Amino acid sequence: MKKLILFMLVASPAVLFAQEKYVIKGKVGSVNPPSKIFLTYSADGKRMSDSTAIKNGAFQFSGEVKDISQATLLLDYKGIGIMNIDRKSKQDVVSVFLVNGTTTINSADSLSHATVTGTKVNEDNVRYKTFVKPATDAEDALTAEYYAAPKEKRETKEFGDYIDKKDSVIGVQSKELNKQFIAANPDSYMSLQALRGMGGPYPDPNELQPVFSKLSPSLQKSAAGVKYQTYLNTLKAVAVGAMAPDFAQADTNGKMISLSSFKGKYVLVDFWASWCGPCRAENPNVVKAFNNYKGKNFTILGVSLDRPGKRDAWIKAINHDGLTWNHVSDLKFWDNDAAKLYGIQAIPQNLLIDPSGKIIAKDLFGDDLEKKLAELFGKI
């Protein structure tokens, strides 16, 4: 199910390599202690958190980050601490960018209904979210429809096909809206965000490069623009028809296994993780394909994006799901070196490589994987 692909938690191109001295001033109704406001963001691959008291609805944050950084403000009404808030309940949050200047947050009742003004990046972010809202609302409704269905229904092929068909329509709508926003805002930092929205979980560099090339020269030459171009170059290097870059990581016994050691076979490089629900849901399809074609010069190399210290969870998932092929991981979560080499920013994701080492297909899920293998080896 494409709808349930998991993305990196922070996928925005938030890098301009200039010190950003930010101030956030807020007013949310007449909220008072023990309520607190939390500010969370990523810096140098680490999750950062700050908090402040809120008195008569007023609060303020200030600080310095080396890059424009996407952040989240969360209102802890009970003052129990961010780690103790029920993750399953709806949280009162608003997304902002930490950027030079003063950003103002204002609402009569909640953060989720706040207006965000005062800095161009944040005002452009509001305009961007409003522009693509028809697609995001449709995506949210489809997700709600999926989870509202009984488990038995969700597991049927008919319902999966129905959801995927609707998701494809929404994907086309989202892509077009993002493209329109970029065309109308070629100098906006948020157009780099829109490019990622346009690309979705499986970006096509040949489609995105011409759009990126129409951005203003100043945005293209900014550090954020240069970083995005580098990302596109990475995707081009692992496109269908390219030779698969080699890598080596430790297997479950600590032995180093290289991709090149499988040369001479068809190999499916499968990026997944034990914590990834959509990956685990896809695993039965992968198991079926492996069992059907493992005697046909075909094998699989699983590359896990499991977290540091979670080796046991990784191995437990392999055994539980019956994944009887080679598995490797450096246990670096989204910083997995092989994942970065292949530009992986969403999972599950896979690549099919032929005996010469050339990439011949990508992102084969469900029936698509079975059909491709049948095309290569004949139906079982």
Side-chain angles (χ1 to χ4, degrees):
M1 286 216 18
K2 296 176 183 177
K3 179 61 193 167
L4 300 180
I5 298 297
L6 290 185
F7 287 91
M8 286 183 68
L9 295 178
V10 179
S12 63
V15 179
L16 290 183
F17 297 108
Q19 293 297 116
E20 303 292 324
K21 297 180 180 179
Y22 67 87
V23 176
I24 299 174
K25 290 185 177 181
K27 183 73 165 66
V28 183
S30 56
V31 179
N32 278 297
S35 298
K36 285 186 174 182
I37 294 278
F38 285 86
L39 173 71
T40 61
Y41 60 97
S42 292
D44 297 323
K46 298 179 181 179
R47 197 67 178 161
M48 310 297 290
S49 178
D50 194 5
S51 66
T52 189
I54 181 169
K55 186 174 181 180
N56 195 29
F59 65 91
Q60 180 171 321
F61 289 98
S62 62
E64 189 171 298
V65 289
K66 68 178 183 180
D67 320 314
I68 293 178
S69 301
Q70 190 168 12
T72 298
L73 289 171
L74 180 148
L75 180 46
D76 172 15
Y77 285 93
K78 297 180 181 179
I80 59 176
I82 193 169
M83 299 303 296
N84 298 315
I85 294 175
D86 184 2
R87 301 293 176 181
K88 294 182 180 179
S89 63
K90 188 174 182 180
Q91 299 173 14
D92 190 14
V93 299
V94 65
S95 175
V96 296
F97 283 87
L98 306 182
V99 61
N100 274 332
T102 299
T103 301
T104 301
I105 312 291
N106 194 13
S107 175
D109 52 22
S110 64
L111 282 178
S112 57
H113 294 145
T115 57
V116 183
T117 57
T119 48
K120 185 178 187 303
V121 170
N122 279 299
E123 289 176 353
D124 281 359
N125 183 38
V126 172
R127 289 195 304 108
Y128 169 66
K129 289 192 292 187
T130 300
F131 196 85
V132 299
K133 192 172 186 296
T136 54
D137 283 352
E139 289 172 355
D140 291 344
L142 184 62
T143 300
E145 181 180 358
Y146 175 81
Y147 283 108
K151 182 180 179 181
E152 297 75 16
K153 183 177 181 180
R154 294 203 304 264
E155 292 176 348
T156 65
K157 183 179 185 303
E158 292 76 15
F159 188 66
D161 290 344
Y162 161 78
I163 292 290
D164 282 345
K165 184 176 180 180
K166 291 190 70 173
D167 185 51
S168 295
V169 173
I170 295 169
V172 171
Q173 179 189 26
S174 177
K175 181 177 293 187
E176 182 58 29
L177 287 172
N178 277 287
K179 191 173 183 178
Q180 289 176 14
F181 181 89
I182 296 165
N185 300 274
D187 196 38
S188 172
Y189 176 85
M190 292 311 299
S191 286
L192 292 172
Q193 181 86 330
L195 269 165
R196 292 187 181 269
M198 180 181 166
Y202 306 121
D204 179 356
N206 295 321
E207 179 181 48
L208 296 175
Q209 183 67 66
V211 180
F212 175 79
S213 297
K214 292 180 181 178
L215 295 176
S216 69
S218 61
L219 185 56
Q220 289 185 53
K221 293 176 182 178
S222 70
V226 170
K227 184 180 180 182
Y228 189 79
Q229 180 62 70
T230 300
Y231 171 62
L232 289 178
N233 292 341
T234 296
L235 294 179
K236 292 174 187 176
V238 293
V240 172
M243 298 302 291
D246 194 21
F247 63 87
Q249 292 188 4
D251 68 6
T252 56
N253 294 314
K255 179 183 177 182
M256 296 301 291
I257 303 291
S258 67
L259 174 61
S260 58
S261 66
F262 297 95
K263 196 168 184 178
K265 289 187 174 183
Y266 287 91
V267 56
L268 184 77
V269 182
D270 184 33
F271 291 92
W272 73 296
S274 68
W275 49 261
C276 168
C279 304
R280 304 293 294 275
E282 179 63 21
N283 277 343
N285 295 322
V286 186
V287 169
K288 179 183 176 184
F290 179 72
N291 289 336
N292 284 341
Y293 292 96
K294 62 184 178 182
K296 301 280 188 177
N297 201 37
F298 168 72
T299 191
I300 299 174
L301 178 62
V303 182
S304 173
L305 276 63
D306 268 272
R307 295 175 172 87
K310 294 297 182 179
R311 181 175 178 275
D312 290 346
W314 170 42
I315 295 174
K316 182 179 178 180
I318 291 170
N319 294 329
H320 182 276
D321 293 2
L323 313 181
T324 57
W325 48 82
N326 288 284
H327 292 271
V328 297
S329 181
D330 57 15
L331 298 176
K332 292 183 180 180
F333 197 32
W334 287 109
D335 282 331
N336 182 287
D337 289 339
K340 291 193 290 186
L341 180 65
Y342 280 79
I344 303 297
Q345 295 192 347
I347 54 176
Q349 197 161 158
N350 59 49
L351 307 94
L352 184 61
I353 300 169
D354 74 5
S356 72
K358 184 170 68 176
I359 300 169
I360 59 172
K362 298 180 73 171
D363 307 320
L364 300 167
F365 302 116
D367 292 341
D368 290 341
L369 176 58
E370 191 80 17
K371 288 176 182 177
K372 183 62 179 180
L373 295 177
E375 175 188 313
L376 292 171
F377 304 115
K379 291 187 177 181
I380 298 299

